Amino acid sequence: QKEVEQDPGPLSVPEGAIVSLNCTYSNSAFQYFMWYRQYSRKGPELLMYTYSSGNKEDGRFTAQVDKSSKYISLFIRDSQPSDSATYLCAMSAQGNTGKLIFGQGTTLQVKP
Amino acid sequence: DTAVSQTPKYLVTQMGNDKSIKCEQNLGHDTMYWYKQDSKKFLKIMFSYNNKELIINETVPNRFSPKSPDKAHLNLHINSLELGDSAVYFCASSHLAGGPADTQYFGPGTRLTVL
């Protein structure tokens, strides 16, 4: 079993839809949770970062962490065609010298 | 200005060959990483260097050897290439000593195809 599980999709939604992307994990030592966005044939770029449990909002994006359930989510409101990309969740434990454990990534397509 | 750059962008080679991928960052970061992304988009860390010192060395065949001549450069040399080495290799860098909360900036990737 992988440490981080993420449904690879693909996920196809109409423009303006609310998108929910999720990851589950097994390692209770994870404290830092990130979402990276990767456009086709590009490197991943950090989208959202959350420490421990709770919510964080940035524009149309909201990241949620539920450590009790070992479950994290990324919500995209009013999705746009420019949001079409692969979204990778990533996690790290305290004192872990930058070692990120990634989910498999969910490919999202937003249709105009 | 390119923050993290890699060369080459594409690499097609025969099984058994030896090849190198180069990475350079101009962000002034102390820590650099190599990741491998397979055909299913699964991204896995291979190595990490902090100020030219190896700090992460995952379970990677010893055919893979990273080298950091200075903190702005991290190269990856692969000996005796195998079909299973075909993947996209990403270099990344981060500001601090690779702390867990530190943002990692990725390069554009090197797409390696072994025939």
Side-chain angles (χ1 to χ4, degrees):
Chain A
Q1 183 189 2
K2 291 194 174 107
E3 276 188 285
V4 179
E5 298 277 359
Q6 184 177 5
D7 186 339
L11 184 61
S12 182
V13 301
E15 184 175 352
I18 296 174
V19 177
S20 171
L21 305 168
N22 312 294
C23 288
T24 58
Y25 62 95
S26 56
N27 188 346
S28 57
F30 287 146
Q31 297 267 10
Y32 300 87
F33 304 91
M34 286 140 274
W35 286 94
Y36 278 79
R37 178 174 61 195
Q38 184 177 18
Y39 290 114
S40 181
R41 299 194 174 254
K42 301 285 186 186
E45 56 178 347
L46 183 66
L47 192 60
M48 298 282 286
Y49 154 75
T50 312
Y51 170 69
S52 195
S53 283
N55 293 359
K56 187 171 185 178
E57 191 172 318
D58 184 2
R60 296 184 295 110
F61 298 89
T62 300
Q64 285 185 354
V65 175
D66 181 351
K67 288 189 69 181
S68 61
S69 302
K70 296 191 178 71
Y71 187 87
I72 72 169
S73 301
L74 177 71
F75 296 95
I76 307 174
R77 289 184 300 281
D78 187 24
S79 56
Q80 303 294 308
S82 58
D83 295 328
S84 298
T86 296
Y87 290 81
L88 301 131
C89 63
M91 309 180 188
S92 185
Q94 184 75 30
N96 218 351
T97 60
K99 180 178 173 181
L100 293 182
I101 307 299
F102 281 85
Q104 192 175 337
T106 300
T107 299
L108 171 68
Q109 184 182 25
V110 181
K111 294 183 176 178
Chain B
D1 273 352
T2 305
V4 182
S5 59
Q6 295 178 227
T7 53
K9 195 169 181 181
Y10 299 95
L11 188 51
V12 180
T13 189
Q14 299 287 331
M15 264 197 320
N17 284 351
D18 303 338
K19 289 293 178 187
S20 291
I21 306 172
K22 295 185 176 182
C23 179
E24 177 181 359
Q25 55 93 4
N26 63 6
L27 297 167
H29 288 167
D30 291 314
T31 308
M32 296 183 73
Y33 311 80
W34 277 114
Y35 286 87
K36 178 181 179 181
Q37 188 171 47
D38 64 21
S39 57
K40 294 182 179 178
K41 296 282 183 82
F42 187 55
L43 191 62
K44 188 168 167 39
I45 191 164
M46 301 172 70
F47 303 102
S48 169
Y49 269 78
N50 176 249
N51 249 328
K52 301 193 297 175
E53 181 185 346
L54 182 66
I55 56 171
I56 295 175
N57 186 356
E58 289 295 289
T59 309
V60 176
N62 57 15
R63 298 182 295 103
F64 290 79
S65 53
K67 281 190 172 54
S68 181
D70 55 61
K71 73 174 192 176
H73 296 85
L74 180 62
N75 304 324
L76 182 66
H77 188 76
I78 315 170
N79 288 328
S80 303
L81 277 154
E82 299 178 358
L83 293 176
D85 298 333
S86 296
V88 182
Y89 292 84
F90 286 100
C91 176
S93 72
S94 64
H95 181 56
L96 298 174
D102 205 18
T103 301
Q104 294 185 20
Y105 295 84
F106 284 78
T110 295
R111 189 170 294 269
L112 171 65
T113 302
V114 182
L115 303 174

